Amino acid sequence: MTAEVERRLVESAAKGNEMSFEELVRANQGLVYNVALKLTGNREDALDVSQEAFIKAYKNLSSFRFESRFSAWLYRLTYNAAMDQMRKTRDVPTVSLTEEDEDDESQRDIPDPSPGPEERAQRRELQEEVRRAVLQLDEDKREVLAMREFSGMSYGAIAQALGIEEGTVKSRLSRARAQLAEILT
């Protein structure tokens, strides 16, 4: 979808045209779901995140300022919804202690494969350090880095979502990685 068509659809949807919003959903549902799935790693959570992102987009269409493509804005909404979803579910480990047998159902001691408290604390500390470093990047570098590294999007998909050339994506990503390495060292 071209930027011009996208803009007309957003303007029309912001005025209440539901068919225009449905067209925007159809054009972006694959991107939104794939981003959500890569971030959450769970099909059901990805569906919830996708729905949440589209609901937020619909409710906030009037505040969209066309500073970027709608698809890039929707990506940000999806990313934020996925982060919210992961915060809700990250500290809820489940391990089944029931083993079914042909004759009976009995309890077994099964070691919990999840990391211990010290390892979890170290991981959280490292994640927080990386998060702070990423936040120090310029918005354009941070956005491309998140789309590529956290969401696994291809250079072409990032270029399309942001409305920029693929070469620009590659150079921003290269500069973002270099700056991030500098910050972290």
Side-chain angles (χ1 to χ4, degrees):
M1 172 181 302
T2 67
E4 185 179 317
V5 170
E6 188 178 77
R7 183 182 188 102
R8 281 196 309 254
L9 287 172
V10 171
E11 288 171 344
S12 177
K15 293 176 184 171
N17 185 332
E18 291 180 12
M19 296 296 286
S20 294
F21 189 73
E22 287 177 21
E23 184 65 29
L24 289 167
V25 170
R26 274 193 295 279
N28 292 286
Q29 65 188 0
L31 170 72
V32 168
Y33 176 76
N34 287 333
V35 167
L37 183 61
K38 287 195 183 271
L39 290 170
T40 64
N42 177 305
R43 183 173 155 23
E44 290 78 23
D45 288 346
L47 290 170
D48 289 344
V49 165
S50 299
Q51 183 176 7
E52 183 65 26
F54 282 116
I55 289 170
K56 284 182 180 181
Y58 185 76
K59 287 181 178 178
N60 295 297
L61 271 176
S62 61
S63 67
F64 182 65
R65 293 184 186 87
F66 298 99
E67 294 169 356
S68 65
R69 296 273 311 256
F70 173 79
S71 52
W73 182 62
L74 188 56
Y75 166 83
R76 284 188 213 112
L77 293 175
T78 305
Y79 179 82
N80 291 339
M83 293 299 107
D84 291 344
Q85 177 71 20
M86 291 185 333
R87 273 186 222 105
K88 287 182 207 172
T89 59
R90 81 171 152 210
D91 292 327
V92 189
T94 58
V95 176
S96 173
L97 299 178
T98 305
E99 181 178 283
E100 290 188 26
D101 195 323
E102 286 182 11
D103 299 326
D104 69 348
E105 199 173 281
S106 59
Q107 295 285 326
R108 302 274 188 230
D109 287 333
I110 301 174
D112 185 356
S114 62
E118 185 177 333
E119 188 177 341
R120 283 196 307 265
Q122 289 172 342
R123 282 185 186 174
R124 276 193 301 268
E125 191 176 300
L126 179 60
Q127 288 171 341
E128 182 58 27
E129 189 176 328
V130 170
R131 187 187 70 76
R132 282 193 306 266
V134 168
L135 290 174
Q136 292 179 40
L137 298 174
D138 297 332
E139 176 68 24
D140 60 340
K141 292 177 191 169
R142 183 172 55 238
E143 186 173 51
V144 170
L145 183 73
M147 292 173 115
R148 179 68 181 171
E149 300 300 338
F150 302 142
S151 302
M153 294 174 67
S154 69
Y155 297 121
I158 296 168
Q160 182 181 11
L162 298 178
I164 59 178
E165 296 296 321
E166 199 169 310
T168 305
V169 170
K170 290 177 181 178
S171 74
R172 284 184 188 175
L173 185 58
S174 176
R175 288 192 304 263
R177 288 175 176 157
Q179 186 178 354
L180 190 59
E182 185 178 310
I183 292 168
L184 290 170
T185 56

